[in-house]
Short mmCIF file of all heavy atoms in Angstrom, two decimals:
data_model
loop_
_atom_site.label_atom_id
_atom_site.label_comp_id
_atom_site.label_asym_id
_atom_site.label_seq_id
_atom_site.Cartn_x
_atom_site.Cartn_y
_atom_site.Cartn_z
N LYS A 33 2.17 -13.47 17.44
CA LYS A 33 3.37 -12.60 17.17
C LYS A 33 3.62 -11.62 18.12
O LYS A 33 2.50 -11.06 18.63
CB LYS A 33 3.30 -12.06 15.64
CG LYS A 33 3.26 -13.01 14.61
CD LYS A 33 3.32 -12.27 13.30
CE LYS A 33 3.45 -13.16 12.05
NZ LYS A 33 3.38 -12.25 10.77
N TYR A 34 4.87 -11.22 18.30
CA TYR A 34 5.12 -9.92 19.04
C TYR A 34 5.99 -9.05 18.28
O TYR A 34 6.80 -9.44 17.38
CB TYR A 34 5.56 -10.29 20.34
CG TYR A 34 6.99 -10.80 20.59
CD1 TYR A 34 8.00 -9.78 20.78
CD2 TYR A 34 7.25 -12.13 20.32
CE1 TYR A 34 9.31 -10.22 20.79
CE2 TYR A 34 8.66 -12.54 20.39
CZ TYR A 34 9.66 -11.54 20.60
OH TYR A 34 10.93 -12.01 20.67
N PHE A 35 5.95 -7.77 18.71
CA PHE A 35 6.82 -6.76 18.15
C PHE A 35 7.26 -5.83 19.25
O PHE A 35 6.59 -5.31 20.01
CB PHE A 35 6.04 -6.04 17.12
CG PHE A 35 6.66 -4.95 16.39
CD1 PHE A 35 7.40 -5.25 15.32
CD2 PHE A 35 6.62 -3.66 16.84
CE1 PHE A 35 8.16 -4.27 14.60
CE2 PHE A 35 7.28 -2.54 16.07
CZ PHE A 35 7.96 -2.87 14.93
N ALA A 36 8.63 -5.61 19.37
CA ALA A 36 9.14 -4.80 20.36
C ALA A 36 9.74 -3.53 19.67
O ALA A 36 10.28 -3.47 18.57
CB ALA A 36 10.39 -5.55 21.01
N SER A 37 9.70 -2.44 20.47
CA SER A 37 10.13 -1.17 20.00
C SER A 37 10.91 -0.39 21.08
O SER A 37 10.69 -0.57 22.30
CB SER A 37 9.08 -0.25 19.46
OG SER A 37 8.16 0.12 20.43
N ASN A 38 11.74 0.57 20.63
CA ASN A 38 12.51 1.38 21.52
C ASN A 38 11.52 2.54 22.18
O ASN A 38 10.37 2.49 21.87
CB ASN A 38 13.63 1.99 21.00
CG ASN A 38 13.47 2.85 19.82
OD1 ASN A 38 12.33 3.30 19.60
ND2 ASN A 38 14.36 2.90 18.96
N LYS A 39 12.06 3.54 22.85
CA LYS A 39 11.23 4.60 23.35
C LYS A 39 10.63 5.49 22.38
O LYS A 39 9.44 5.86 22.43
CB LYS A 39 12.15 5.50 24.22
CG LYS A 39 12.53 4.75 25.61
CD LYS A 39 13.29 5.77 26.50
CE LYS A 39 13.74 5.04 27.60
NZ LYS A 39 14.51 5.87 28.54
N THR A 40 11.29 5.75 21.26
CA THR A 40 10.69 6.48 20.20
C THR A 40 9.60 5.65 19.42
O THR A 40 8.42 6.22 19.20
CB THR A 40 11.79 6.76 19.09
OG1 THR A 40 12.82 7.58 19.73
CG2 THR A 40 11.23 7.67 17.98
N GLY A 41 9.74 4.34 19.37
CA GLY A 41 8.66 3.52 18.78
C GLY A 41 7.46 3.46 19.62
O GLY A 41 6.38 3.47 19.19
N ALA A 42 7.72 3.39 20.98
CA ALA A 42 6.68 3.40 21.99
C ALA A 42 5.90 4.79 21.90
O ALA A 42 4.74 4.84 22.19
CB ALA A 42 7.19 3.16 23.40
N TYR A 43 6.71 5.83 21.77
CA TYR A 43 6.07 7.10 21.69
C TYR A 43 5.09 7.20 20.48
O TYR A 43 3.91 7.62 20.48
CB TYR A 43 7.06 8.25 21.55
CG TYR A 43 6.56 9.70 21.74
CD1 TYR A 43 6.10 10.16 22.83
CD2 TYR A 43 6.52 10.60 20.60
CE1 TYR A 43 5.64 11.46 22.88
CE2 TYR A 43 6.16 11.81 20.59
CZ TYR A 43 5.54 12.18 21.78
OH TYR A 43 5.13 13.53 21.93
N ILE A 44 5.50 6.77 19.31
CA ILE A 44 4.71 6.68 18.20
C ILE A 44 3.55 5.75 18.31
O ILE A 44 2.30 6.01 18.10
CB ILE A 44 5.51 6.18 16.85
CG1 ILE A 44 6.57 7.20 16.56
CG2 ILE A 44 4.72 5.84 15.68
CD1 ILE A 44 7.67 6.79 15.59
#
Side-chain angles (χ1 to χ4, degrees):
K33 288 184 177 180
Y34 75 93
F35 181 79
S37 69
N38 61 19
K39 288 181 183 180
T40 304
Y43 189 72
I44 293 169

